[in-house]
Amino acid sequence: MGFEATYADFSVEPSRLANADVRFHGARFAGSHVALSAGGSVALEFEVADPEDVPQVTLTVTALVSKLGSDLGYAPMSVLVQGETVAEDLTVPGGGDLPQDNVFAVPGRLLKPGTNTLEIRSSDKSGSMLWLYRITLDPVWERGRSERARTAEAARDSVFTYDTELRPAHASSARWQAAPRLLFHIDRDERSLPAQLGWRGEDGAESAISFQSAMSDFHGVYRAADGVAYEYRGRLADRRPYSDDTENLTASVLHRFHTEEGWGGSWHTSHELRLLVDDGGASVERVTWRDQRGNSGVVALHPASSEVEVTGVEASDEFGDGGEGADNLLEDRRSKWLTFDETAHLDFTLARPTAVASYSLTSANDFDDRDPRDWTLLGSQDGHAWTPLDTRSGERFPERFQTREFHLRSHARAYRHYRLDITRNAGGSEVQLARVRFAEAPAGQAFTGYYQRWNEGPIGYRGTPVAATSSAVPTAPRVASELQAAVASLSETAQALAALAAQLRKH
């Protein structure tokens, strides 16, 4: 390969560089770019291993000319490689408008093995400033490689803090007022910076903002919980890579999700999503974004599913011949369990010992006098000794296939077995239920939403919380393994010392 990914990113200070060293003359860092005055220049030195492999180079210079009052600015730009002119007195279009990508073809014959020099000059006759945002160089057949490398490197600093201001909507003469800082981090391991971000708080307040490409500032709208609308803007105050200390920057929750994407009729494991948005208000309940590659996503946060898996159920009696056995209680279809007794009990075995926080019962399809009225829920470690956990009396199910949830007053202990002991029904000669479910306390928030890559249609997107882990104390298997290794090492050392002692005795 002729040379590596090569770029100079002037959106930060010091400049972010790859395969490049930079020298400035008549230039200064100006927040999101380098500003060149008349006669100013930027010289970039880059290495080329074998120029014979590079017949042509694609050079992209992203630049803007500052305005002269209300008029277009004037700062012609010249481009030189090894001192030879590639472009002279080029006028960057859209003076004072938006940064422009100016693309040049650099002949391969200008390259030499080793260090090469690219120079960007602002004309001595310039009347305004030439603003340089970034420079990239690529072999012609690998156009865009350096820009992808630059954005990937820039995206590593993905925790952003902005100082913000608000002013009432449609009130251009009103003064901007300081507002709470905005701290956010969104990362699904795609190495792309956000271009737009929107969120809604649990109190109903919502915001939508768009970022300058270098992330130096944003502009957008904010609607307060009372419905009043404001203009909203911010200036970058801090930017850092994600680390284990990130969640210490705020009192808000840093969400980490295991995610899945829905396509082809099934769900597929995707990258972990990290999500944090803190604007000084209520916790967020919905977040939307679009990144600089054009990918976009929406997530709506909600309590994580806390239903507990039941592996088996046994009933004191059931109408098995009629297909109305206790196993139907674990199904989601419209079936039921029926016993021809006025009282009954059901024993459930869970997949793991669980501290149940709530349980739900679903009435069956007919005869409301068969509904349970009084019952007790009990827990057991071994399926023999039972502890009462929750007692109900006089309960009613006004509708058929109606699900009612019952919360335990205390759920400190975990049990593998749970018994529903029904001691009275609603007056009939039988007892029946359609479903029984158990749930533990929610372990965090999950999300439901969608995701759309820039050149594809939308797909399903969902996530569950990543369980918190602690590395402070090694697990028992790890301790045992380390002790075993230590014993083996000591044994080997003892054998070596014994052998050495035997050799010394011989001599």
Side-chain angles (χ1 to χ4, degrees):
M1 182 178 294
F3 55 94
E4 305 171 3
T6 304
Y7 62 79
D9 181 355
F10 304 123
S11 64
V12 293
E13 188 178 25
S15 304
R16 190 177 287 114
L17 307 172
N19 188 33
D21 289 316
V22 174
R23 300 191 311 274
F24 300 104
H25 171 71
R28 60 179 177 82
F29 179 70
S32 62
H33 55 272
V34 168
L36 280 66
S37 56
S41 65
V42 171
L44 185 149
E45 294 183 343
F46 60 100
E47 301 297 317
V48 177
D50 186 1
E52 295 296 327
D53 293 341
V54 187
Q56 190 179 77
V57 172
T58 301
L59 166 64
T60 303
V61 180
T62 303
L64 172 66
V65 174
S66 65
K67 282 188 174 182
L68 285 171
S70 59
D71 297 329
L72 296 179
Y74 180 72
M77 174 178 69
S78 295
V79 179
L80 301 91
V81 175
Q82 320 293 47
E84 186 170 330
T85 301
V86 174
E88 186 173 11
D89 289 341
L90 171 74
T91 299
V92 177
D97 185 10
L98 294 172
Q100 300 286 329
D101 288 338
N102 303 274
V103 183
F104 305 93
V106 177
R109 63 176 178 79
L110 296 181
L111 302 179
K112 63 179 183 179
T115 302
N116 291 253
T117 302
L118 164 71
E119 189 176 5
I120 309 294
R121 295 177 182 172
S122 179
S123 172
D124 292 334
K125 301 177 181 178
S126 295
S128 60
M129 307 293 285
L130 175 64
W131 294 353
L132 291 184
Y133 289 81
R134 55 188 172 270
I135 299 170
T136 63
L137 295 113
D138 290 305
V140 66
W141 54 75
E142 293 184 279
R143 180 178 176 182
R145 180 188 63 170
S146 294
E147 176 61 14
R148 290 190 295 272
R150 184 195 70 82
T151 56
E153 178 64 23
R156 296 177 67 173
D157 292 335
S158 58
V159 181
F160 296 89
T161 303
Y162 288 84
D163 294 326
T164 72
E165 295 177 307
L166 293 169
R167 72 177 178 186
H170 297 280
S172 300
S173 60
R175 296 183 61 182
W176 288 92
Q177 300 294 323
R181 70 168 189 172
L182 171 64
L183 170 68
F184 76 88
H185 168 67
I186 298 176
D187 186 2
R188 48 170 273 135
D189 198 29
E190 289 187 324
R191 298 183 180 181
S192 183
L193 293 170
Q196 295 177 336
L197 178 66
W199 64 95
R200 176 184 171 88
E202 292 178 347
D203 60 353
E206 54 186 341
S207 304
I209 60 179
S210 184
F211 298 96
Q212 193 270 349
S213 61
M215 305 299 294
S216 60
D217 52 72
F218 73 77
H219 202 99
V221 295
Y222 169 75
R223 185 189 300 275
D226 60 7
V228 178
Y230 298 85
E231 282 187 84
Y232 189 31
R233 72 181 185 184
R235 172 70 62 174
L236 184 65
D238 184 61
R239 180 176 176 179
R240 65 183 66 189
Y242 170 80
S243 71
D244 292 339
D245 294 330
T246 297
E247 58 186 309
N248 297 327
L249 299 175
T250 175
S252 296
V253 176
L254 168 67
H255 299 280
R256 293 180 58 196
F257 299 104
H258 295 300
T259 70
E260 295 179 297
E261 297 179 355
W263 46 269
S266 59
W267 290 93
H268 307 268
T269 300
S270 183
H271 296 290
E272 178 181 306
L273 171 67
R274 294 195 300 264
L275 178 65
L276 168 64
V277 179
D278 181 2
D279 64 356
S283 299
V284 296
E285 65 179 13
R286 184 180 69 236
V287 179
T288 66
W289 73 90
R290 182 175 65 83
D291 67 26
Q292 293 185 5
R293 295 180 182 174
N295 307 314
S296 59
V298 174
V299 300
L301 302 176
H302 54 81
S305 174
S306 54
E307 186 172 310
V308 181
E309 181 184 358
V310 178
T311 58
V313 57
E314 293 184 3
S316 56
D317 184 62
E318 61 185 17
F319 183 33
D321 292 342
E324 296 177 340
D327 287 344
N328 290 336
L329 294 169
L330 309 183
E331 302 292 334
D332 288 325
R333 54 192 175 87
R334 291 203 163 193
S335 55
K336 69 180 182 183
W337 158 75
L338 172 68
T339 175
F340 292 109
D341 293 328
E342 297 178 10
T343 63
H345 67 258
L346 297 160
D347 290 349
F348 298 88
T349 300
L350 308 188
R352 55 180 172 81
T354 304
V356 166
S358 66
Y359 61 100
S360 63
L361 308 181
T362 303
S363 60
N365 62 320
D366 58 7
F367 303 111
D368 57 5
D369 61 357
R370 297 175 176 176
D371 293 341
R373 182 69 60 84
D374 301 348
W375 65 81
T376 297
L377 181 72
L378 306 98
S380 174
Q381 305 287 357
D382 57 7
H384 299 290
W386 296 93
T387 300
L389 302 174
D390 186 56
T391 299
R392 304 282 170 163
S393 62
E395 299 292 346
R396 297 180 180 275
F397 294 82
E399 301 175 11
R400 300 302 84 205
F401 289 114
Q402 179 186 9
T403 299
R404 294 190 58 202
E405 186 175 13
F406 304 92
H407 292 267
L408 276 64
R409 293 177 178 84
S410 174
H411 50 272
R413 295 195 63 182
Y415 296 99
R416 179 74 183 277
H417 306 276
Y418 285 85
R419 170 174 287 181
L420 184 67
D421 187 16
I422 303 169
T423 55
R424 184 167 71 99
N425 67 4
S429 302
E430 302 89 6
V431 176
Q432 64 183 17
L433 281 169
R435 283 186 299 279
V436 178
R437 297 288 184 268
F438 297 92
E440 58 187 333
Q445 287 189 297
F447 77 80
T448 301
Y450 72 84
Y451 191 71
Q452 185 169 12
R453 292 175 176 82
W454 69 272
N455 60 344
E456 300 177 2
I459 57 176
Y461 193 39
R462 68 185 186 185
T464 55
V466 174
T469 59
S470 173
S471 58
V473 180
T475 61
R478 178 181 169 188
V479 171
S481 175
E482 291 177 350
L483 288 173
Q484 186 175 7
V487 169
S489 177
L490 289 172
S491 177
E492 291 174 359
T493 301
Q495 292 176 7
L497 289 173
L500 177 59
Q503 291 292 329
L504 290 174
R505 284 195 293 270
K506 290 181 180 179
H507 298 283

mmCIF file of all heavy atoms in Angstrom, residues 15-53:
data_model
loop_
_atom_site.group_PDB
_atom_site.id
_atom_site.type_symbol
_atom_site.label_atom_id
_atom_site.label_comp_id
_atom_site.label_asym_id
_atom_site.label_seq_id
_atom_site.Cartn_x
_atom_site.Cartn_y
_atom_site.Cartn_z
ATOM 1 N N SER A 15 -4.779 19.466 17.209
ATOM 2 C CA SER A 15 -5.431 18.851 16.064
ATOM 3 C C SER A 15 -5.326 17.336 16.130
ATOM 4 O O SER A 15 -4.340 16.776 16.622
ATOM 5 C CB SER A 15 -4.788 19.352 14.765
ATOM 6 O OG SER A 15 -4.837 20.754 14.687
ATOM 7 N N ARG A 16 -6.356 16.659 15.635
ATOM 8 C CA ARG A 16 -6.360 15.201 15.586
ATOM 9 C C ARG A 16 -5.708 14.784 14.254
ATOM 10 O O ARG A 16 -6.203 15.131 13.179
ATOM 11 C CB ARG A 16 -7.790 14.678 15.690
ATOM 12 C CG ARG A 16 -7.910 13.188 15.888
ATOM 13 C CD ARG A 16 -9.358 12.758 16.052
ATOM 14 N NE ARG A 16 -9.900 13.143 17.345
ATOM 15 C CZ ARG A 16 -10.873 14.024 17.528
ATOM 16 N NH1 ARG A 16 -11.405 14.633 16.483
ATOM 17 N NH2 ARG A 16 -11.330 14.310 18.730
ATOM 18 N N LEU A 17 -4.585 14.038 14.325
ATOM 19 C CA LEU A 17 -3.777 13.751 13.138
ATOM 20 C C LEU A 17 -3.570 12.264 12.952
ATOM 21 O O LEU A 17 -3.516 11.507 13.923
ATOM 22 C CB LEU A 17 -2.404 14.430 13.253
ATOM 23 C CG LEU A 17 -2.393 15.939 13.554
ATOM 24 C CD1 LEU A 17 -0.968 16.400 13.835
ATOM 25 C CD2 LEU A 17 -2.999 16.708 12.385
ATOM 26 N N ALA A 18 -3.429 11.858 11.703
ATOM 27 C CA ALA A 18 -3.039 10.482 11.369
ATOM 28 C C ALA A 18 -2.081 10.542 10.188
ATOM 29 O O ALA A 18 -2.381 11.162 9.156
ATOM 30 C CB ALA A 18 -4.254 9.625 11.014
ATOM 31 N N ASN A 19 -0.909 9.893 10.332
ATOM 32 C CA ASN A 19 0.137 9.922 9.312
ATOM 33 C C ASN A 19 0.418 11.359 8.876
ATOM 34 O O ASN A 19 0.569 11.647 7.693
ATOM 35 C CB ASN A 19 -0.269 9.076 8.089
ATOM 36 C CG ASN A 19 0.871 8.926 7.092
ATOM 37 O OD1 ASN A 19 2.049 8.869 7.472
ATOM 38 N ND2 ASN A 19 0.532 8.882 5.807
ATOM 39 N N ALA A 20 0.494 12.270 9.832
ATOM 40 C CA ALA A 20 0.650 13.678 9.476
ATOM 41 C C ALA A 20 1.280 14.463 10.617
ATOM 42 O O ALA A 20 1.038 14.189 11.789
ATOM 43 C CB ALA A 20 -0.714 14.287 9.126
ATOM 44 N N ASP A 21 2.100 15.432 10.237
ATOM 45 C CA ASP A 21 2.570 16.481 11.133
ATOM 46 C C ASP A 21 2.169 17.804 10.506
ATOM 47 O O ASP A 21 2.192 17.947 9.264
ATOM 48 C CB ASP A 21 4.087 16.429 11.310
ATOM 49 C CG ASP A 21 4.529 15.224 12.123
ATOM 50 O OD1 ASP A 21 3.896 14.942 13.150
ATOM 51 O OD2 ASP A 21 5.492 14.553 11.710
ATOM 52 N N VAL A 22 1.809 18.780 11.332
ATOM 53 C CA VAL A 22 1.263 20.033 10.814
ATOM 54 C C VAL A 22 2.051 21.224 11.359
ATOM 55 O O VAL A 22 2.438 21.245 12.530
ATOM 56 C CB VAL A 22 -0.232 20.172 11.198
ATOM 57 C CG1 VAL A 22 -0.766 21.528 10.784
ATOM 58 C CG2 VAL A 22 -1.052 19.083 10.528
ATOM 59 N N ARG A 23 2.276 22.205 10.475
ATOM 60 C CA ARG A 23 2.876 23.483 10.864
ATOM 61 C C ARG A 23 1.936 24.598 10.421
ATOM 62 O O ARG A 23 1.332 24.529 9.339
ATOM 63 C CB ARG A 23 4.244 23.683 10.211
ATOM 64 C CG ARG A 23 5.272 22.617 10.559
ATOM 65 C CD ARG A 23 6.668 23.053 10.081
ATOM 66 N NE ARG A 23 6.670 23.514 8.697
ATOM 67 C CZ ARG A 23 6.791 22.711 7.637
ATOM 68 N NH1 ARG A 23 6.927 21.395 7.811
ATOM 69 N NH2 ARG A 23 6.805 23.201 6.417
ATOM 70 N N PHE A 24 1.812 25.624 11.281
ATOM 71 C CA PHE A 24 0.925 26.749 10.978
ATOM 72 C C PHE A 24 1.737 28.035 10.818
ATOM 73 O O PHE A 24 2.730 28.248 11.505
ATOM 74 C CB PHE A 24 -0.098 26.951 12.114
ATOM 75 C CG PHE A 24 -0.981 25.755 12.372
ATOM 76 C CD1 PHE A 24 -0.756 24.943 13.477
ATOM 77 C CD2 PHE A 24 -2.024 25.450 11.523
ATOM 78 C CE1 PHE A 24 -1.562 23.854 13.731
ATOM 79 C CE2 PHE A 24 -2.835 24.353 11.766
ATOM 80 C CZ PHE A 24 -2.611 23.555 12.870
ATOM 81 N N HIS A 25 1.270 28.874 9.910
ATOM 82 C CA HIS A 25 1.840 30.216 9.752
ATOM 83 C C HIS A 25 0.672 31.171 9.513
ATOM 84 O O HIS A 25 -0.124 30.971 8.598
ATOM 85 C CB HIS A 25 2.808 30.281 8.560
ATOM 86 C CG HIS A 25 3.242 31.676 8.235
ATOM 87 N ND1 HIS A 25 4.094 32.396 9.042
ATOM 88 C CD2 HIS A 25 2.915 32.502 7.188
ATOM 89 C CE1 HIS A 25 4.292 33.582 8.516
ATOM 90 N NE2 HIS A 25 3.583 33.672 7.390
ATOM 91 N N GLY A 26 0.559 32.187 10.363
ATOM 92 C CA GLY A 26 -0.540 33.137 10.216
ATOM 93 C C GLY A 26 -1.882 32.458 10.412
ATOM 94 O O GLY A 26 -2.855 32.801 9.724
ATOM 95 N N ALA A 27 -1.944 31.510 11.349
ATOM 96 C CA ALA A 27 -3.173 30.751 11.578
ATOM 97 C C ALA A 27 -3.362 30.555 13.078
ATOM 98 O O ALA A 27 -2.396 30.531 13.849
ATOM 99 C CB ALA A 27 -3.116 29.407 10.864
ATOM 100 N N ARG A 28 -4.644 30.373 13.506
ATOM 101 C CA ARG A 28 -4.938 30.149 14.915
ATOM 102 C C ARG A 28 -6.154 29.247 15.033
ATOM 103 O O ARG A 28 -7.031 29.230 14.140
ATOM 104 C CB ARG A 28 -5.203 31.475 15.632
ATOM 105 C CG ARG A 28 -6.378 32.247 15.055
ATOM 106 C CD ARG A 28 -6.654 33.551 15.791
ATOM 107 N NE ARG A 28 -7.735 34.304 15.162
ATOM 108 C CZ ARG A 28 -9.030 34.072 15.370
ATOM 109 N NH1 ARG A 28 -9.408 33.096 16.185
ATOM 110 N NH2 ARG A 28 -9.940 34.808 14.771
ATOM 111 N N PHE A 29 -6.195 28.504 16.135
ATOM 112 C CA PHE A 29 -7.361 27.660 16.402
ATOM 113 C C PHE A 29 -8.523 28.549 16.806
ATOM 114 O O PHE A 29 -8.377 29.454 17.633
ATOM 115 C CB PHE A 29 -7.042 26.660 17.521
ATOM 116 C CG PHE A 29 -8.188 25.773 17.874
ATOM 117 C CD1 PHE A 29 -8.638 24.784 16.995
ATOM 118 C CD2 PHE A 29 -8.837 25.910 19.090
ATOM 119 C CE1 PHE A 29 -9.693 23.966 17.325
ATOM 120 C CE2 PHE A 29 -9.898 25.088 19.431
ATOM 121 C CZ PHE A 29 -10.337 24.109 18.544
ATOM 122 N N ALA A 30 -9.722 28.305 16.247
ATOM 123 C CA ALA A 30 -10.874 29.180 16.475
ATOM 124 C C ALA A 30 -12.106 28.389 16.906
ATOM 125 O O ALA A 30 -13.219 28.684 16.492
ATOM 126 C CB ALA A 30 -11.177 29.985 15.215
ATOM 127 N N GLY A 31 -11.932 27.387 17.728
ATOM 128 C CA GLY A 31 -13.063 26.672 18.299
ATOM 129 C C GLY A 31 -13.414 25.388 17.593
ATOM 130 O O GLY A 31 -13.409 24.312 18.185
ATOM 131 N N SER A 32 -13.722 25.454 16.290
ATOM 132 C CA SER A 32 -14.050 24.249 15.527
ATOM 133 C C SER A 32 -13.245 24.158 14.235
ATOM 134 O O SER A 32 -13.496 23.295 13.407
ATOM 135 C CB SER A 32 -15.550 24.237 15.174
ATOM 136 O OG SER A 32 -15.863 25.357 14.344
ATOM 137 N N HIS A 33 -12.260 25.053 14.072
ATOM 138 C CA HIS A 33 -11.491 25.120 12.833
ATOM 139 C C HIS A 33 -10.223 25.924 13.089
ATOM 140 O O HIS A 33 -10.041 26.511 14.162
ATOM 141 C CB HIS A 33 -12.318 25.781 11.724
ATOM 142 C CG HIS A 33 -12.841 27.140 12.118
ATOM 143 N ND1 HIS A 33 -14.038 27.305 12.770
ATOM 144 C CD2 HIS A 33 -12.313 28.389 11.991
ATOM 145 C CE1 HIS A 33 -14.246 28.579 13.009
ATOM 146 N NE2 HIS A 33 -13.201 29.260 12.550
ATOM 147 N N VAL A 34 -9.368 25.942 12.082
ATOM 148 C CA VAL A 34 -8.189 26.808 12.095
ATOM 149 C C VAL A 34 -8.461 27.975 11.152
ATOM 150 O O VAL A 34 -8.870 27.762 9.998
ATOM 151 C CB VAL A 34 -6.926 26.039 11.667
ATOM 152 C CG1 VAL A 34 -5.780 27.005 11.410
ATOM 153 C CG2 VAL A 34 -6.536 25.036 12.739
ATOM 154 N N ALA A 35 -8.277 29.195 11.650
ATOM 155 C CA ALA A 35 -8.533 30.397 10.855
ATOM 156 C C ALA A 35 -7.223 30.944 10.297
ATOM 157 O O ALA A 35 -6.289 31.222 11.060
ATOM 158 C CB ALA A 35 -9.228 31.445 11.708
ATOM 159 N N LEU A 36 -7.154 31.085 8.965
ATOM 160 C CA LEU A 36 -5.967 31.612 8.294
ATOM 161 C C LEU A 36 -6.230 33.050 7.883
ATOM 162 O O LEU A 36 -7.219 33.343 7.191
ATOM 163 C CB LEU A 36 -5.613 30.790 7.058
ATOM 164 C CG LEU A 36 -4.861 29.468 7.249
ATOM 165 C CD1 LEU A 36 -5.726 28.453 7.981
ATOM 166 C CD2 LEU A 36 -4.422 28.919 5.888
ATOM 167 N N SER A 37 -5.377 33.951 8.300
ATOM 168 C CA SER A 37 -5.473 35.339 7.842
ATOM 169 C C SER A 37 -4.805 35.453 6.473
ATOM 170 O O SER A 37 -4.258 34.472 5.944
ATOM 171 C CB SER A 37 -4.804 36.267 8.865
ATOM 172 O OG SER A 37 -3.461 35.862 9.096
ATOM 173 N N ALA A 38 -4.831 36.635 5.873
ATOM 174 C CA ALA A 38 -4.229 36.842 4.549
ATOM 175 C C ALA A 38 -2.763 36.438 4.584
ATOM 176 O O ALA A 38 -2.004 36.855 5.462
ATOM 177 C CB ALA A 38 -4.372 38.313 4.139
ATOM 178 N N GLY A 39 -2.353 35.563 3.645
ATOM 179 C CA GLY A 39 -0.985 35.090 3.582
ATOM 180 C C GLY A 39 -0.688 33.937 4.524
ATOM 181 O O GLY A 39 0.436 33.428 4.542
ATOM 182 N N GLY A 40 -1.689 33.526 5.319
ATOM 183 C CA GLY A 40 -1.481 32.421 6.242
ATOM 184 C C GLY A 40 -1.426 31.090 5.520
ATOM 185 O O GLY A 40 -1.880 30.948 4.371
ATOM 186 N N SER A 41 -0.869 30.082 6.193
ATOM 187 C CA SER A 41 -0.746 28.776 5.542
ATOM 188 C C SER A 41 -0.752 27.655 6.581
ATOM 189 O O SER A 41 -0.444 27.866 7.753
ATOM 190 C CB SER A 41 0.543 28.693 4.718
ATOM 191 O OG SER A 41 1.681 28.759 5.563
ATOM 192 N N VAL A 42 -1.104 26.466 6.103
ATOM 193 C CA VAL A 42 -1.015 25.231 6.875
ATOM 194 C C VAL A 42 -0.220 24.249 6.034
ATOM 195 O O VAL A 42 -0.588 23.975 4.872
ATOM 196 C CB VAL A 42 -2.405 24.652 7.206
ATOM 197 C CG1 VAL A 42 -2.275 23.258 7.809
ATOM 198 C CG2 VAL A 42 -3.156 25.571 8.158
ATOM 199 N N ALA A 43 0.872 23.723 6.590
ATOM 200 C CA ALA A 43 1.692 22.738 5.892
ATOM 201 C C ALA A 43 1.525 21.384 6.578
ATOM 202 O O ALA A 43 1.702 21.279 7.795
ATOM 203 C CB ALA A 43 3.153 23.155 5.885
ATOM 204 N N LEU A 44 1.177 20.385 5.801
ATOM 205 C CA LEU A 44 0.965 19.038 6.327
ATOM 206 C C LEU A 44 2.010 18.113 5.724
ATOM 207 O O LEU A 44 2.119 18.015 4.491
ATOM 208 C CB LEU A 44 -0.454 18.559 5.988
ATOM 209 C CG LEU A 44 -0.917 17.209 6.541
ATOM 210 C CD1 LEU A 44 -2.420 17.243 6.792
ATOM 211 C CD2 LEU A 44 -0.611 16.082 5.552
ATOM 212 N N GLU A 45 2.797 17.451 6.572
ATOM 213 C CA GLU A 45 3.795 16.486 6.115
ATOM 214 C C GLU A 45 3.279 15.072 6.349
ATOM 215 O O GLU A 45 2.798 14.755 7.449
ATOM 216 C CB GLU A 45 5.115 16.696 6.845
ATOM 217 C CG GLU A 45 5.767 18.027 6.520
ATOM 218 C CD GLU A 45 7.117 18.192 7.199
ATOM 219 O OE1 GLU A 45 7.388 17.423 8.157
ATOM 220 O OE2 GLU A 45 7.891 19.074 6.783
ATOM 221 N N PHE A 46 3.333 14.217 5.321
ATOM 222 C CA PHE A 46 2.828 12.854 5.433
ATOM 223 C C PHE A 46 3.798 11.897 4.752
ATOM 224 O O PHE A 46 4.572 12.288 3.860
ATOM 225 C CB PHE A 46 1.428 12.735 4.821
ATOM 226 C CG PHE A 46 1.344 13.080 3.353
ATOM 227 C CD1 PHE A 46 1.317 12.085 2.382
ATOM 228 C CD2 PHE A 46 1.295 14.408 2.940
ATOM 229 C CE1 PHE A 46 1.242 12.402 1.034
ATOM 230 C CE2 PHE A 46 1.218 14.735 1.593
ATOM 231 C CZ PHE A 46 1.192 13.726 0.634
ATOM 232 N N GLU A 47 3.759 10.648 5.175
ATOM 233 C CA GLU A 47 4.696 9.650 4.693
ATOM 234 C C GLU A 47 4.077 8.784 3.591
ATOM 235 O O GLU A 47 2.911 8.386 3.688
ATOM 236 C CB GLU A 47 5.152 8.735 5.839
ATOM 237 C CG GLU A 47 5.835 9.466 6.993
ATOM 238 C CD GLU A 47 7.124 10.133 6.550
ATOM 239 O OE1 GLU A 47 7.893 9.476 5.789
ATOM 240 O OE2 GLU A 47 7.357 11.291 6.948
ATOM 241 N N VAL A 48 4.870 8.493 2.575
ATOM 242 C CA VAL A 48 4.474 7.586 1.487
ATOM 243 C C VAL A 48 5.536 6.500 1.374
ATOM 244 O O VAL A 48 6.724 6.799 1.219
ATOM 245 C CB VAL A 48 4.336 8.330 0.150
ATOM 246 C CG1 VAL A 48 3.995 7.348 -0.974
ATOM 247 C CG2 VAL A 48 3.283 9.422 0.248
ATOM 248 N N ALA A 49 5.096 5.239 1.449
ATOM 249 C CA ALA A 49 6.050 4.123 1.391
ATOM 250 C C ALA A 49 6.486 3.863 -0.036
ATOM 251 O O ALA A 49 7.680 3.761 -0.331
ATOM 252 C CB ALA A 49 5.426 2.875 2.006
ATOM 253 N N ASP A 50 5.521 3.749 -0.950
ATOM 254 C CA ASP A 50 5.850 3.398 -2.330
ATOM 255 C C ASP A 50 4.943 4.167 -3.280
ATOM 256 O O ASP A 50 3.826 3.741 -3.578
ATOM 257 C CB ASP A 50 5.679 1.895 -2.544
ATOM 258 C CG ASP A 50 6.137 1.448 -3.931
ATOM 259 O OD1 ASP A 50 6.606 2.308 -4.701
ATOM 260 O OD2 ASP A 50 6.015 0.247 -4.237
ATOM 261 N N PRO A 51 5.377 5.318 -3.781
ATOM 262 C CA PRO A 51 4.529 6.126 -4.669
ATOM 263 C C PRO A 51 4.218 5.438 -5.991
ATOM 264 O O PRO A 51 3.274 5.840 -6.689
ATOM 265 C CB PRO A 51 5.352 7.406 -4.880
ATOM 266 C CG PRO A 51 6.761 7.022 -4.564
ATOM 267 C CD PRO A 51 6.680 5.964 -3.523
ATOM 268 N N GLU A 52 4.977 4.397 -6.369
ATOM 269 C CA GLU A 52 4.685 3.687 -7.612
ATOM 270 C C GLU A 52 3.313 3.032 -7.569
ATOM 271 O O GLU A 52 2.700 2.768 -8.598
ATOM 272 C CB GLU A 52 5.760 2.626 -7.873
ATOM 273 C CG GLU A 52 7.148 3.195 -8.127
ATOM 274 C CD GLU A 52 7.194 4.032 -9.401
ATOM 275 O OE1 GLU A 52 6.461 3.696 -10.367
ATOM 276 O OE2 GLU A 52 7.951 5.029 -9.428
ATOM 277 N N ASP A 53 2.834 2.747 -6.351
ATOM 278 C CA ASP A 53 1.524 2.117 -6.194
ATOM 279 C C ASP A 53 0.378 3.108 -6.246
ATOM 280 O O ASP A 53 -0.791 2.717 -6.173
ATOM 281 C CB ASP A 53 1.444 1.363 -4.846
ATOM 282 C CG ASP A 53 2.378 0.167 -4.819
ATOM 283 O OD1 ASP A 53 2.795 -0.280 -5.908
ATOM 284 O OD2 ASP A 53 2.677 -0.324 -3.715
#
